[in-house]
């Protein structure tokens, strides 16, 4: 069975599944280029019309997003797809889809905690007049089948979003509040409230031993890292936000048969360099690019993008962590807020030499760890000398691994600074055209395409 699942609310996404396998998964705003928005664009429909599809699943959160949903339905009607069934799931399944999304990782963990802002609506016999509430925290248990155990509305994520909305451009930019909390007592109070409320919930629900944590709240890497001390076995889903809902909807429809072990699920891109012909294009190698990283930032672009909120080596901006002005040089391109640190990508086999890490790997940047070797890295660390790190292995990302290995050979440091490849307020670049626009609009001088061994240098 071939399924196309689309989530049409904020941070919406699209997943194509063939014979229980994810063929691609992508975030809709990567294509319409309007952050958090989900309206359809022609380029996606050019892809869709060439797919073999038996079922189309459409999900959304509430009537607030029905206009976007209607646009998708109208576009499908125009395609006149034959023998295709349209299935429409309303918002009451939202948290369950989060749970089914994280189940695709096959972690063997039975406790699944879903926490976000406002999820599915439900009525409570406890509240007066059976008041309509929103499912903000939910507990599931998986043992052959998924069982919904508990639901509450404690506003844990909502309070965080409200503070973020007051101080930044969008309520969903909670990562900025989290980073700012290390420098200012106001966001620090919100972060502490979040952590204490989550601890109270976990204690109240008597969750012990192991935990699969998902929903938008699982993007809080400061809290995720503290959970490592509370659970023997912890998995924080990198598809935790609504950008994973279409995976969950497809997996629910298929009774949990989808299994996935990677985050590089974007629609394959044609690495055609014709649009860069006015610039200088060279054959290159990881060794040559490592030398450039010593002095300048380099964008790395591979065909299939990583999905989620973080660049993990296929849509990343990189530089040496020991350059005195690395932060300044990268921020001349990124223009991020001063309090937001960059992350570190480190070769998996060396991570224990450099960071105090209680787990074997951290391939999705879902935790922070203290550095062991002080006064070596000049950037990539927060004021507390810790970093949100990505462990990189040959298995997960061969080309990115080879580049960091070349940098290690040059410097004896198996680490590069990594930040997502996008301009301020914009989504990650997805296509080659997006890459060109970023290149033309920014101070970026170098692009590395390791799959075809090419380096693009800007012609001034």
């Amino acid at each position: 069975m071939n399924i196309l699942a689309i989530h049409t609310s904020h941070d919406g996404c699209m997943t194509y599944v063939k014979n229980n396998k994810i063929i691609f998964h992508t975030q809709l705003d990567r294509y319409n280029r309007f952050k958090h928005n989900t309206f359809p664009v022609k380029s996606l429909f050019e892809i869709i019309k060439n797919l073999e599809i038996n079922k189309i699943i459409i999900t959304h959160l509430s009537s607030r997003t029905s206009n976007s949903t209607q646009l998708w339905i109208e576009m499908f009607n125009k395609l006149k797809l034959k023998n295709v069934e349209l299935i429409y799931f309303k918002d009451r399944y939202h948290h369950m889809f989060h749970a089914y999304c994280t189940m695709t990782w096959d972690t063997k963990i039975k406790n699944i905690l879903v926490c976000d802002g406002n999820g599915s609506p439900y009525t409570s016999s406890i509240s007066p007049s059976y008041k309509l509430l929103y499912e903000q925290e939910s507990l599931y248990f998986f043992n052959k089948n998924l069982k919904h155990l508990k639901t509450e509305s404690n506003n844990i994520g909502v309070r965080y979003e409200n503070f973020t909305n007051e101080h930044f451009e969008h309520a969903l930019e909670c990562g900025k509040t989290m980073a700012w909390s290390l420098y200012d007592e106001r966001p620090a109070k919100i972060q502490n409230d979040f952590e204490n409320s989550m601890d109270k919930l976990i204690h109240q629900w008597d969750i012990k031993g192991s935990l699969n944590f998902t929903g938008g709240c699982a993007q809080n890497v400061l809290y995720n890292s503290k959970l490592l001390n509370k659970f023997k076995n912890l998995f924080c889903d990198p598809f935790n936000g609504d950008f994973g809902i279409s995976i969950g909807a497809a997996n629910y429809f298929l009774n949990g048969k989808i299994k996935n072990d990677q985050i590089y699920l974007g629609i394959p891109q044609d690495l055609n360099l014709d649009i860069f012909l006015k610039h200088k294009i060279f054959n290159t190698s990881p060794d040559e690019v490592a030398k450039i990283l010593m002095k300048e930032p380099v964008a790395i672009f591979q065909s299939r993008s990583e999905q989620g909120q973080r660049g993990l080596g296929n849509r990343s901006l990189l530089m040496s962590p020991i350059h005195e002005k690395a932060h300044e040089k990268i921020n001349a391109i990124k223009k991020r807020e001063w309090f937001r640190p960059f992350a570190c990508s480190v070769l998996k086999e060396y991570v224990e030499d450099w960071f105090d890490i209680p787990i074997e790997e951290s391939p999705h940047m879902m935790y922070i760890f203290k550095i062991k070797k002080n006064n070596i890295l000049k950037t990539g660390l927060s004021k507390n000398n810790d970093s949100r790190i990505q462990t990189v292995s040959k298995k997960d990302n061969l080309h990115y691994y080879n580049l960091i290995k070349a940098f290690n050979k040059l410097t004896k440091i198996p680490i590069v600074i990594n930040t997502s490849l996008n301009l301020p307020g914009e989504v990650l670049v997805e296509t080659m055209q997006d890459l060109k626009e970023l290149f033309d609009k920014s101070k970026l001088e170098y692009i590395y395409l390791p799959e075809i061994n090419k380096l693009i240098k800007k012609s001034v």
Side-chain angles (χ1 to χ4, degrees):
M1 184 181 295
N2 303 330
I3 296 174
L4 184 70
I6 302 174
H7 182 58
T8 62
S9 293
H10 66 76
D11 288 347
C13 47
M14 180 170 71
T15 308
Y16 180 50
V17 176
K18 195 169 186 177
N19 298 324
N20 302 330
K21 180 181 179 181
I22 298 175
I23 304 303
F24 68 73
H25 170 73
T26 190
Q27 293 159 229
L28 299 180
D29 60 6
R30 296 277 186 96
Y31 282 85
N32 65 39
R33 308 307 297 166
F34 285 87
K35 201 169 186 179
H36 308 301
N37 283 278
T38 62
F39 58 85
V41 290
K42 182 180 178 181
S43 59
L44 280 179
F45 275 87
E46 290 297 319
I47 294 168
I48 291 171
K49 72 181 185 181
N50 293 315
L51 300 177
E52 296 178 1
I53 305 171
N54 303 118
K55 312 283 184 182
I56 294 176
I57 298 172
I58 295 181
T59 67
H60 78 95
L61 271 174
S62 71
S63 59
R64 293 173 300 170
T65 56
S66 60
N67 288 340
S68 179
T69 304
Q70 190 58 40
L71 285 173
W72 279 96
I73 293 173
E74 289 175 4
M75 292 296 287
F76 282 126
N77 289 336
K78 289 180 180 179
L79 285 179
K80 297 181 180 179
L81 300 173
K82 296 181 179 179
N83 301 316
V84 176
E85 181 184 3
L86 184 63
I87 301 167
Y88 183 64
F89 286 122
K90 295 186 178 180
D91 48 2
R92 64 188 178 92
Y93 295 100
H94 188 71
H95 271 206
M96 184 176 64
F97 291 156
H98 274 305
Y100 268 98
C101 176
T102 198
M103 285 164 54
T104 63
W105 291 96
D106 197 24
T107 63
K108 311 299 183 185
I109 297 175
K110 296 181 178 181
N111 296 316
I112 301 175
L113 179 61
V114 181
C115 296
D116 57 16
N118 281 323
S120 309
Y122 72 100
T123 54
S124 171
S125 59
I126 299 175
S127 62
S129 303
Y130 291 86
K131 180 181 178 182
L132 183 67
L133 300 173
Y134 277 88
E135 186 178 36
Q136 297 166 345
E137 304 92 21
S138 301
L139 180 63
Y140 292 83
F141 186 80
F142 177 70
N143 186 12
K144 295 185 179 179
N145 295 298
L146 186 68
K147 184 178 181 180
H148 187 187
L149 300 181
K150 299 176 185 292
T151 286
E152 289 190 14
S153 297
N154 296 300
N155 289 323
I156 299 173
V158 170
R159 291 196 297 273
Y160 212 97
E161 286 183 356
N162 288 344
F163 179 90
T164 301
N165 194 48
E166 290 174 7
H167 293 86
F168 300 103
E169 62 273 17
H170 199 288
L172 298 178
E173 304 293 321
C174 293
K176 296 181 180 181
T177 295
M178 182 177 59
W180 191 27
S181 70
L182 300 180
Y183 297 90
D184 189 288
E185 62 181 13
R186 292 168 293 171
K189 182 178 179 181
I190 294 298
Q191 178 68 26
N192 288 335
D193 170 69
F194 174 85
E195 294 181 6
N196 292 335
S197 298
M198 288 300 304
D199 283 347
K200 181 180 177 181
L201 182 72
I202 288 171
H203 176 75
Q204 174 186 324
W205 285 357
D206 196 30
I207 308 172
K208 296 178 180 177
S210 62
L211 179 65
N212 198 329
F213 187 28
T214 190
C217 291
Q219 292 188 56
N220 194 305
V221 297
L222 298 181
Y223 185 65
N224 292 352
S225 304
K226 294 181 180 180
L227 287 177
L228 287 170
N229 297 321
K230 298 178 184 293
F231 292 95
K232 184 178 180 180
N233 192 4
L234 174 70
F235 181 78
C236 293
D237 185 6
F239 294 148
N240 49 58
D242 287 2
F243 46 81
I245 289 296
S246 59
I247 295 177
N251 197 34
Y252 165 74
F253 185 81
L254 291 169
N255 297 314
K257 294 178 181 177
I258 299 175
K259 299 303 175 189
N260 173 59
D261 62 358
Q262 63 155 316
I263 201 166
Y264 305 98
L265 295 173
I267 298 170
Q269 302 296 314
D270 181 7
L271 303 179
N272 189 327
L273 298 180
D274 288 350
I275 58 176
F276 289 96
L277 290 181
K278 76 173 185 178
H279 300 291
K280 299 174 182 177
I281 302 174
F282 304 94
N283 292 326
T284 194
S285 67
D287 291 331
E288 291 299 318
V289 177
K291 292 176 183 177
I292 298 171
L293 286 174
M294 289 292 295
K295 297 180 179 180
E296 298 294 337
V298 177
I300 184 170
F301 184 100
Q302 301 191 58
S303 175
R304 300 197 69 175
S305 63
E306 55 272 67
Q307 296 299 302
Q309 300 297 85
R310 300 169 174 91
L312 296 173
N314 284 24
R315 300 291 188 278
S316 291
L317 183 62
L318 314 172
M319 194 174 170
S320 164
I322 57 175
H323 194 290
E324 293 284 351
K325 294 186 177 181
H327 191 280
E328 178 182 324
K329 284 177 172 285
I330 295 175
N331 236 12
I333 300 166
K334 288 279 293 188
K335 303 187 188 308
R336 281 162 52 114
E337 293 84 354
W338 62 269
F339 52 82
R340 297 177 66 192
F342 298 116
C344 290
S345 293
V346 53
L347 296 181
K348 178 183 173 181
E349 59 265 34
Y350 292 100
V351 65
E352 290 185 356
D353 298 335
W354 284 83
F355 291 93
D356 186 9
I357 178 171
I359 53 179
E360 290 185 3
E361 60 181 351
S362 176
H364 306 129
M365 282 191 189
M366 296 303 293
Y367 313 99
I368 62 169
F369 304 102
K370 288 278 187 183
I371 194 164
K372 290 180 177 179
K373 301 185 179 185
N374 290 330
N375 305 317
I376 296 177
L377 304 190
K378 305 303 180 184
T379 191
L381 303 175
S382 76
K383 62 177 291 187
N384 296 332
N385 281 328
D386 51 33
S387 178
R388 174 167 49 87
I389 73 166
Q390 172 197 12
T391 54
V392 182
S393 67
K394 288 182 180 180
K395 172 180 169 291
D396 290 334
N397 195 326
L398 178 61
H399 294 297
Y400 192 32
Y401 176 90
N402 286 338
L403 176 58
I404 304 174
K405 183 178 178 181
F407 185 81
N408 182 47
K409 184 171 69 173
L410 187 65
T411 64
K412 306 302 181 186
I413 296 174
I415 301 167
V416 296
I417 298 306
N418 177 1
T419 186
S420 57
L421 187 56
N422 61 300
L423 295 179
E426 297 184 3
V427 296
L428 274 70
V429 303
E430 182 67 22
T431 66
M432 290 289 282
Q433 184 61 45
D434 299 335
L435 182 64
K436 181 180 182 298
E437 289 178 9
L438 182 146
F439 200 47
D440 291 341
K441 288 164 57 177
S442 73
K443 294 184 178 181
L444 178 64
E445 296 287 334
Y446 297 95
I447 297 171
Y448 176 41
L449 297 100
E451 292 161 297
I452 56 175
N453 300 312
K454 296 295 183 181
L455 179 74
I456 304 172
K457 185 180 186 303
K458 183 176 287 181
S459 294
V460 180

